Amino acid sequence: MKILWVKAGGLVPPDTGGKIRSYNILRELAHHHSITFFSFYAAHDNDQHGGLKSIFDRIVCLPLKLPEAKSAAEMLSYGIRLLSSQPYSVAKFCLPETRRRVRALVDEEKYDVIVCDFMAAAGAIPWSSPVPKVLFTHNVEATIWRRHYEVAANPMWKAISWLEWKKMKGAEQRYLRLANHVLTVSEGDRDAFAGVVDPAKVTIIPTGVDIEYFQPLALEQKPNSIVFTGSMDWLPNEDAIIYFLDEIFPSIREQCPDATLEVVGRKPSRKLLARAQQEKNVTLTGWVEDIRPHVARGSVCIVPLRIGGGTRLKIFEAMAMAKPVVSTSIGAEGLPVESGENVLLADTPQDFADRVVSLLRDSSERKRIGNAARALVQEKYGWPRIAEIFAETLQAIMSRAHE
């Protein structure tokens, strides 16, 4: 197959859940198919995209001069686009130059299929092109904004979240209908789209994990240590940790006074840094080159998400390392896990704290759940198999388009 893959926000380094999923699927697909990779993203120093030339047949990158996240310049940029029907996460990337570049690629080459990776790229896709177009959704983006709105305490942020929720809902419905086929990463996401498109037009691409890279490591665990991994500039992760510190950690400390929390992930906000400084047993690492030693030395991994969509790769990574995970139901949404068997689920602060404490106090239970978790992902969820499912789906879409 000759594939044009269009992605907003860049691909490398693969340091967010969406980038990790896309990078691994693309890397596997490139072994057997011709891929032109086009991405547009905020210009930055030490851009690593040039290294993708060794993987793909062709790469075309368009660095954009975008304002820094959460800056006054970004608020101005948001204000300028306030009356746009497009949600800001789409409008800020899909500029006229971006659309022209995608159109030029489609005119220059004959592609078998165009993959629009994430909703943020949808505004740049030439939807009128006769080439089959596939929308690869990693989340139900409108659901994420609705959950932001529901948990927001700041009145301005609540208003912004409401507006983005409504705009994103409209954009999702529009692009879902325009696509020849839609890919989701969970049954829940597929069901959420069922009222907009025919379910026969939607295929689930399971979440995967690099089971060779994420293996159990022979490192000594730190007693009563709790670990969270994730990009801390993603608002659902920030909300999860503040929620954990405010509502859950105090109960854990009452039962295990020496319990510690290590938050491993890039770019923690000033708000989160200030909150963590109030706790003597909390560490924010910021960006690290390799999360595996941090996960391996932890006793328990946590995913206290209240906002989300799609699936959380951080759970599969911890499971592949045979680590026990305590998660909210939202945190484990879309994953084929079973509470009490290969993960523990808890949706109230006290239940979450009690499950963490029960694991901290019982090494045999930690081992049992961790081993069951490793067995599950090892058997079914390696990236080569996930890429096979992806390729088979694209082939079927092409066949139907030529009928």
Side-chain angles (χ1 to χ4, degrees):
M1 282 183 293
K2 192 173 181 64
I3 303 167
L4 173 59
W5 191 290
V6 181
K7 186 178 189 312
L11 185 66
V12 289
D15 54 3
T16 66
K19 287 182 181 179
I20 291 167
R21 182 184 290 112
S22 296
Y23 176 82
N24 282 284
I25 290 174
L26 275 163
R27 184 181 61 178
E28 296 296 332
L29 288 175
H31 293 318
H32 308 287
H33 305 281
S34 174
I35 294 175
T36 295
F37 176 74
F38 174 63
S39 188
F40 39 104
Y41 48 85
H44 57 277
D45 295 333
N46 303 315
D47 191 335
Q48 300 179 22
H49 285 86
L52 297 175
K53 292 177 181 178
S54 63
I55 301 176
F56 307 130
D57 285 359
R58 183 182 180 188
I59 67 164
V60 181
C61 294
L62 180 61
L64 304 171
K65 293 183 178 180
L66 299 181
E68 184 178 350
K70 302 179 183 179
S71 65
E74 185 178 51
M75 289 303 296
L76 177 61
S77 175
Y78 179 83
I80 291 171
R81 293 171 173 82
L82 193 62
L83 299 181
S84 170
S85 63
Q86 293 274 35
Y88 181 69
S89 58
V90 176
K92 71 176 180 179
F93 284 119
C94 298
L95 305 174
E97 175 61 15
T98 308
R99 295 193 292 272
R100 284 194 294 268
R101 294 291 288 273
V102 178
R103 182 77 253 184
L105 286 171
V106 174
D107 292 341
E108 290 168 10
E109 301 276 354
K110 185 177 180 180
Y111 294 102
D112 295 311
V113 64
I114 300 171
V115 176
C116 174
D117 190 3
F118 272 93
M119 193 65 63
I125 300 298
W127 294 103
S128 61
S129 168
V131 181
K133 294 161 289 291
V134 176
L135 179 57
F136 185 16
T137 65
H138 299 241
N139 305 288
V140 180
E141 303 291 348
T143 296
I144 293 176
W145 281 109
R146 175 175 59 79
R147 288 173 176 166
H148 275 307
Y149 166 72
E150 289 170 348
V151 304
N154 180 286
M156 179 177 290
W157 178 242
K158 199 171 188 70
I160 290 172
S161 299
W162 183 87
L163 187 59
E164 288 299 297
W165 164 28
K166 296 302 181 180
K167 286 185 177 183
M168 184 59 78
K169 184 177 180 180
E172 275 186 332
Q173 292 178 356
R174 181 166 62 254
Y175 293 125
L176 288 167
R177 293 188 179 109
L178 286 170
N180 295 90
H181 204 80
V182 177
L183 306 178
T184 71
V185 297
S186 72
E187 291 183 4
D189 289 4
R190 179 196 61 191
D191 294 344
F193 294 150
V196 181
V197 293
D198 183 347
K201 185 180 168 180
V202 182
T203 299
I204 299 170
I205 302 297
T207 286
V209 65
D210 189 336
I211 57 177
E212 300 302 322
Y213 184 79
F214 289 98
Q215 294 195 37
L217 298 181
L219 297 177
E220 184 177 357
Q221 287 186 11
K222 181 181 176 183
N224 291 334
S225 56
I226 304 164
V227 177
F228 176 90
T229 63
S231 301
M232 297 316 298
D233 55 349
W234 195 51
L235 289 172
N237 285 342
E238 178 185 87
D239 175 81
I241 293 305
I242 291 176
Y243 165 64
F244 182 82
L245 291 176
D246 289 347
E247 305 292 337
I248 300 171
F249 200 43
S251 180
I252 293 174
R253 291 288 307 278
E254 284 181 7
Q255 301 174 70
C256 296
D258 61 342
T260 62
L261 171 66
E262 185 176 45
V263 178
V264 183
R266 70 179 193 181
K267 297 182 180 179
S269 67
R270 289 191 294 269
K271 176 182 177 181
L272 184 56
L273 288 167
R275 179 63 186 86
Q277 286 175 355
Q278 301 172 21
E279 305 281 347
K280 66 177 183 179
N281 286 19
V282 175
T283 302
L284 305 182
T285 68
W287 181 86
V288 298
E289 187 169 349
D290 188 349
I291 68 168
R292 292 173 299 172
H294 299 269
V295 175
R297 285 192 288 264
S299 300
V300 176
C301 293
I302 59 165
V303 187
L305 286 175
R306 299 190 296 173
I307 303 166
T311 57
R312 252 58 64 197
L313 277 76
K314 60 174 67 70
I315 292 186
F316 265 13
E317 291 170 352
M319 291 172 71
M321 295 185 68
K323 304 302 294 187
V325 176
V326 180
S327 175
T328 58
S329 295
I330 287 176
E333 202 169 46
L335 294 177
V337 295
E338 183 178 347
S339 187
E341 176 60 28
N342 42 44
V343 72
L344 294 183
L345 300 181
D347 289 319
T348 68
Q350 192 60 55
D351 284 348
F352 201 107
D354 290 345
R355 280 161 176 72
V356 171
V357 170
S358 71
L359 288 173
L360 292 177
R361 290 175 171 173
D362 191 340
S363 61
S364 63
E365 183 67 357
R366 293 199 303 270
K367 185 175 181 179
R368 181 189 71 80
I369 290 180
N371 287 341
R374 169 72 184 178
L376 173 67
V377 297
Q378 190 171 25
E379 179 183 358
K380 298 182 179 180
Y381 297 102
W383 284 121
R385 177 55 190 145
I386 303 305
E388 284 180 17
I389 297 170
F390 201 102
E392 290 165 2
T393 303
L394 295 187
Q395 292 278 12
I397 294 164
M398 287 169 47
S399 298
R400 287 197 296 272
H402 294 136
E403 289 178 353

